[in-house]
Amino acid sequence: MSQASYELKAEAREQVGKGSARAVRRNGKVPAVIYGDKQPPLAIALTYKDIYYKIHGGGFLTTIATIDVDGKKIQVLPKDYQLDPVKDFPVHVDFLRIGKDTEVNVDVPVHFINEDKSPGIKRGGVLNIVRHEVEFHCPANAIPEFITVDLTGTDIGDSIHISAVKLPAGVKPVISDRDFTVATIAGSAAMKPEAEEEAVETAEPEAAPAAEEK
């Protein structure tokens, strides 16, 4: 499941627009908006330090948060954020308000296990990751932290499709019209062909030349 929820304190903003956002940043805060769940958007200002470490700490877009806006607590899911292109600090954040039945599309990281149990990789093959993340549609309160691909038994030339990955209940790929590839096991130019290896192992030493007749 997704990482543990956390809480952020925020202030409501009465004014919106570029001028207001710049004023918020000058005061050491980050402008943000909470929207969704059939309610009007709510403009807020977050503490810079709090949001900076959450964004750069990993799992930000897949973890539900609670925002305390002047004493009113709102459950949200971060949907997008903007960073300064030069200094890499947050300049704006969008949050989706979470209701009881809210479902969302999220990009979930892919983790690979048991490379040491892949005959293809043990023979010198290479894991070629086609998708480091997969977009899923799922309940907002049941977002997986990651999905796991088991490489046990995979060989050179094999493709691992999304249908081979065990997914949590209620989690479905957004791409539904094809069984797309998540990774492949590719051959390596440095590896020896299996047939060549067997030939070397089974070859017998040549017999000594027969003595010449006198």
Side-chain angles (χ1 to χ4, degrees):
M1 302 301 291
S2 59
Q3 300 179 30
S5 182
Y6 58 90
E7 184 170 309
L8 296 171
K9 288 191 177 295
E11 301 171 358
R13 290 191 291 139
E14 294 183 3
Q15 296 180 332
V16 295
K18 292 183 178 180
S20 172
R22 282 194 292 265
V24 169
R25 297 186 192 104
R26 282 197 298 269
N27 290 329
K29 296 184 180 295
V30 179
V33 174
I34 300 174
Y35 66 94
D37 199 30
K38 299 179 181 179
Q39 297 184 44
L42 175 62
I44 60 173
L46 297 158
T47 302
Y48 170 83
K49 184 178 179 180
D50 290 346
I51 200 66
Y52 177 89
Y53 285 111
K54 290 301 180 184
I55 288 175
H56 292 284
F60 182 63
L61 296 178
T62 57
T63 305
I64 289 178
T66 299
I67 298 183
D68 184 337
V69 185
D70 301 327
K72 180 182 179 181
K73 296 189 176 184
I74 305 171
Q75 200 170 42
V76 300
L77 178 70
K79 288 299 293 179
D80 196 14
Y81 60 87
Q82 298 171 16
L83 300 177
D84 182 275
V86 177
K87 299 180 180 179
D88 205 35
F89 55 72
V91 296
H92 190 272
V93 185
D94 288 335
F95 294 98
L96 175 67
R97 189 182 279 104
I98 299 300
K100 183 178 67 172
D101 301 316
T102 301
E103 296 188 347
V104 294
N105 291 352
V106 289
D107 290 322
V108 177
V110 181
H111 288 190
F112 296 87
I113 62 172
N114 293 328
E115 289 190 32
D116 58 333
K117 297 181 181 179
S118 165
I121 293 176
K122 290 173 74 173
R123 288 198 296 114
V126 177
L127 173 63
N128 175 38
I129 301 175
V130 178
R131 295 176 182 269
H132 291 271
E133 294 182 328
V134 175
E135 187 178 14
F136 290 104
H137 184 80
C138 58
N141 59 2
I143 301 172
E145 185 176 351
F146 54 83
I147 61 168
T148 301
V149 175
D150 190 347
L151 298 174
T152 300
T154 55
D155 210 338
I156 293 169
D158 286 351
S159 295
I160 301 105
H161 297 94
I162 190 63
S163 60
V165 181
K166 187 176 181 180
L167 301 176
V171 176
K172 300 177 182 179
V174 171
I175 298 174
S176 59
D177 60 345
R178 65 185 187 277
D179 190 13
F180 56 86
T181 301
V182 178
T184 63
I185 307 298
S188 167
M191 64 175 288
K192 291 183 178 181
E194 192 174 68
E196 182 181 321
E197 290 179 357
E198 291 177 357
V200 171
E201 291 173 0
T202 58
E204 296 180 358
E206 293 183 6
E212 293 183 5
E213 294 181 1
K214 294 183 179 179

